[in-house]
């Protein structure tokens, strides 16, 4: 997810990483605190004091975010959910789960843990600020703790918005999952709330821009885009997991596919096979034996004037090991192979016999069917 993130250290068995985008938000927060927040709440100090307070407050804020994500991670580990890493990035922090929570109950507790930690930190920083004020520490010494107390409470409230992938959206999904027993249906509803929230943030951002608050407006728009994209991605991931869970290639392949002989010409292949059957590729079979495949990419390399005189057997592509799969391969493993190799068309073979074909369009069709079924259940 964060291919450019740098590993910082391990904490409690969790790998802590830093994405380069973090430096942008860290600088923006520091600049805002040093030039606006602290001068407004603590007038009369020097620029150096404001900068020092801003840096400490920024580090305290990201330390609080790290503890927020650690709370998620510790509870997730107790429920058997692996954590790849905790990464600080442009929009805060995220714990990267290796697998989904096994139950609605686990989802609920994992989601609640983060906001609970933020609320606890808010009260802790507030109590510390009050204690330091009671012993007579100057306001400059307590202002950072006041800020951290406030920002942690705000963080908890913001994360509890019932919009996926926010913690509140995950709590909503857990409730719907528990009530209906359908995790995909619950994810769709929570993701719809997330998309609505994303659009709402973008709308607020545009309004702020028109009112002259350009930095704040752009920030709302960026967060809105992030929430919108994350909600869509989360639902698509859950859709794939549900639609293909426990299924093998044999369950989704196109059986008895159209095949071609190496003896026909390219012109015949185009007119009698591709156009007639509306396909972009076909396996090449000679005397019942699969010998390769031909597709539009092969055709593109041959001048059209030569199609009538060129046979399929002269130009077809041989069998590619990456494109030949067994019928008992799981669809999840197939998706992994697609991601790793970029191959989009596969021949399903057993004992040197062609059983069917699988294409990326074929897989997408199954997803659309599963999505339509889920949407019908929602409505």
């Amino acid at each position: 997810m964060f291919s450019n993130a740098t590993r910082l250290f391990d904490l409690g068995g969790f790998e802590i990483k830093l994405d380069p985008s973090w430096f942008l938000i860290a600088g923006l927060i520091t600049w805002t605190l040093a030039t606006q927040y602290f001068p407004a709440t603590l007038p009369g100090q020097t620029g150096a004091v404001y900068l020092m307070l801003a840096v400490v407050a920024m580090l305290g804020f990201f330390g609080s975010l790290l503890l927020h994500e650690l709370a998620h991670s510790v509870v997730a580990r107790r429920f058997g959910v692996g954590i790849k890493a905790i990464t600080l990035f442009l929009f805060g922090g995220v714990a990267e789960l290796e697998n989904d929570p096994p139950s609605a109950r686990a989802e609920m507790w994992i989601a609640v843990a983060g906001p609970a930690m933020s609320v606890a930190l808010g009260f802790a920083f507030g109590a510390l600020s009050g204690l330091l004020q009671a012993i007579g520490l100057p306001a400059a010494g307590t202002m950072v703790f006041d800020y951290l107390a406030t920002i942690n409470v705000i963080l908890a409230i913001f994360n509890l918005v019932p919009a996926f992938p926010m913690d509140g959206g995950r709590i909503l999904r857990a409730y719907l999952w528990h009530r209906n027993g359908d995790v995909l249906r619950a994810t769709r509803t929570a993701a719809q709330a997330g998309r609505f929230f994303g659009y709402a943030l973008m709308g607020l951002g545009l309004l702020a821009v028109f009112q002259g608050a350009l930095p704040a407006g752009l920030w709302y728009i960026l967060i809105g885009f992030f929430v919108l994209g994350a909600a869509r991605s989360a639902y698509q991931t859950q859709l794939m997991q549900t639609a293909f869970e426990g299924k093998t290639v044999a369950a989704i392949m196109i059986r008895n596919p159209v095949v071609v002989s190496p003896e026909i010409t390219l012109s015949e292949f185009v007119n009698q096979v591709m156009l007639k059957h509306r396909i972009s590729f076909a396996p090449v079979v000679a005397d019942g034996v699969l010998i390769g495949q031909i597709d539009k990419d092969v055709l593109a390399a041959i001048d059209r004037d030569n199609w009538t005189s060129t046979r399929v057997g002269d130009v077809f592509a041989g069998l590619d090991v990456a494109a030949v799969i067994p019928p008992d391969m799981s669809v999840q493993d197939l998706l992994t192979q697609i991601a790793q190799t970029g191959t989009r068309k596969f021949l399903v073979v057993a004992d040197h016999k062609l059983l069917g074909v699988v294409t990326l369009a074929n897989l997408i069709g199954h997803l659309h069917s599963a999505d339509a079924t889920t949407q019908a259940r929602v409505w």
Side-chain angles (χ1 to χ4, degrees):
M1 182 177 181
F2 297 98
S3 58
N4 296 320
T6 301
R7 179 183 175 277
L8 296 179
F9 53 85
D10 287 341
L11 183 61
F14 300 107
E15 185 179 16
I16 311 302
K17 299 167 70 176
L18 190 69
D19 188 76
S21 63
W22 175 85
F23 291 99
L24 176 61
I25 185 59
L28 180 60
I29 290 176
T30 302
W31 175 76
T32 303
L33 291 175
T35 61
Q36 298 178 34
Y37 179 79
F38 285 122
T41 56
L42 189 66
Q45 304 296 318
T46 65
V49 170
Y50 291 139
L51 179 60
M52 180 189 67
L53 293 176
V55 170
V56 172
M58 180 273 293
L59 293 175
F61 171 62
F62 279 101
S64 298
L65 280 178
L66 181 57
L67 290 174
H68 177 108
E69 297 303 330
L70 275 172
H72 285 309
S73 302
V74 169
V75 176
R77 187 164 60 184
R78 291 181 64 87
F79 281 101
V81 179
I83 304 296
K84 296 179 183 178
I86 297 174
T87 304
L88 297 176
F89 71 120
L90 178 63
F91 297 106
V94 62
E96 300 178 65
L97 306 184
E98 291 182 346
N99 52 289
D100 285 334
S103 65
R105 177 173 174 269
E107 172 88 301
M108 176 72 74
W109 283 111
I110 294 170
V112 166
M117 171 60 77
S118 294
V119 170
L121 288 172
F123 280 109
F125 283 123
L128 181 59
S129 175
L131 177 63
L132 293 176
Q133 290 178 26
I135 63 176
L137 196 70
T142 63
M143 190 60 65
V144 169
F145 298 110
D146 287 335
Y147 165 78
L148 292 175
T150 302
I151 202 65
N152 271 284
V153 173
I154 292 174
L155 179 65
I157 295 172
F158 179 75
N159 271 282
L160 285 173
V161 173
F164 207 79
M166 315 291 289
D167 294 335
R170 293 186 178 276
I171 293 171
L172 173 62
R173 182 174 78 157
Y175 166 73
L176 295 173
W177 182 5
H178 173 74
R179 189 184 69 178
N180 301 319
D182 188 336
V183 63
L184 181 59
R185 180 180 172 185
T187 304
R188 182 181 178 86
T189 301
Q192 285 177 330
R195 289 195 292 269
F196 176 81
F197 183 58
Y199 283 126
L201 285 174
M202 291 163 62
L204 288 174
L206 287 173
L207 181 61
V209 169
F210 289 140
Q211 292 178 341
L214 182 61
L218 291 177
W219 189 239
Y220 277 125
I221 292 172
L222 283 174
I223 295 176
F225 268 117
F226 171 74
V227 172
L228 187 64
R232 287 174 173 168
S233 176
Y235 176 66
Q236 290 299 321
T237 299
Q238 188 63 57
L239 179 62
M240 284 195 295
Q241 291 176 349
T242 303
F244 298 136
E245 184 177 11
K247 290 186 177 180
T248 62
V249 166
I252 65 163
M253 68 182 182
I254 301 172
R255 298 176 181 273
N256 302 315
V258 176
V259 300
V260 297
S261 165
E263 299 303 321
I264 69 171
T265 65
L266 296 184
S267 180
E268 290 172 327
F269 170 61
V270 171
N271 295 314
Q272 299 176 17
V273 179
M274 290 185 71
L275 296 179
K276 180 180 179 180
H277 298 281
R278 297 181 180 180
I279 59 176
S280 61
F281 95 108
V284 181
V285 176
D287 298 325
V289 178
L290 175 68
I291 59 175
Q293 61 94 15
I294 184 169
D295 58 21
K296 60 183 181 181
D297 292 332
V298 174
L299 287 173
I302 309 298
D303 189 86
R304 187 182 294 268
D305 294 337
N306 296 324
W307 283 4
T308 56
S309 59
T310 304
R311 297 181 306 124
V312 166
D314 297 328
V315 296
F316 75 94
L319 294 177
D320 181 358
V321 175
V324 176
I325 57 176
D328 58 353
M329 171 185 267
S330 73
V331 179
Q332 293 295 344
D333 287 342
L334 175 60
L335 292 172
T336 300
Q337 187 165 326
I338 290 174
Q340 292 175 345
T341 66
T343 305
R344 301 164 64 92
K345 301 179 289 288
F346 297 87
L347 305 173
V348 185
V349 178
D351 298 326
H352 306 289
K353 181 180 179 182
L354 178 67
L355 302 181
V357 299
V358 176
T359 67
L360 185 58
N362 177 210
L363 292 169
I364 293 173
H366 278 274
L367 288 178
H368 284 325
S369 178
D371 186 29
T373 301
T374 303
Q375 187 171 0
R377 290 201 303 267
V378 170
W379 294 107

